[in-house]
Amino acid sequence: MSDANIRIPAEARDRLAEIAASEGLSLRAYLARLADSLLTPAERAERAEQARAVLQQWNGYNPSEAEVADLDAELDRRLAEADAR
């Protein structure tokens, strides 16, 4: 695997290095592990579609786009409320 240079603020680099060290990892290893653990937007959309298909097959749940938007808005509202506490 070839390496790449990424420019970030020194404070962010130092924070990430401290977190990595606390887990017994180099910053390079920590960032590689982090990258492997996150999903791209396309991967998230694919998993969401798979979950909807499983729910529809299992119990007939098949929300419309409007219902999905309403549920997303409700989740956003609740998360904002929790952050405000």
Side-chain angles (χ1 to χ4, degrees):
M1 173 189 332
S2 63
D3 289 341
N5 291 319
I6 300 171
R7 296 179 57 89
I8 62 171
E11 297 82 15
R13 179 207 57 217
D14 294 345
R15 180 175 170 79
L16 290 169
E18 183 178 344
I19 294 167
S22 74
E23 296 185 22
L25 298 170
S26 67
L27 181 54
R28 181 181 189 271
Y30 178 77
L31 290 174
R33 187 182 74 178
L34 180 63
D36 287 341
S37 71
L38 300 173
L39 298 175
T40 66
E43 290 167 334
R44 284 195 307 273
E46 181 181 345
R47 287 201 182 177
E49 184 54 41
Q50 290 171 349
R52 279 193 284 276
V54 167
L55 284 171
Q56 184 176 11
Q57 182 180 9
W58 177 56
N59 67 6
Y61 181 71
N62 188 23
S64 67
E65 289 299 318
E67 290 170 319
V68 170
D70 288 345
L71 291 168
D72 284 345
E74 176 65 13
L75 179 58
D76 289 343
R77 183 190 68 74
R78 289 182 185 205
L79 289 171
E81 184 179 291
D83 276 346
R85 293 181 190 174

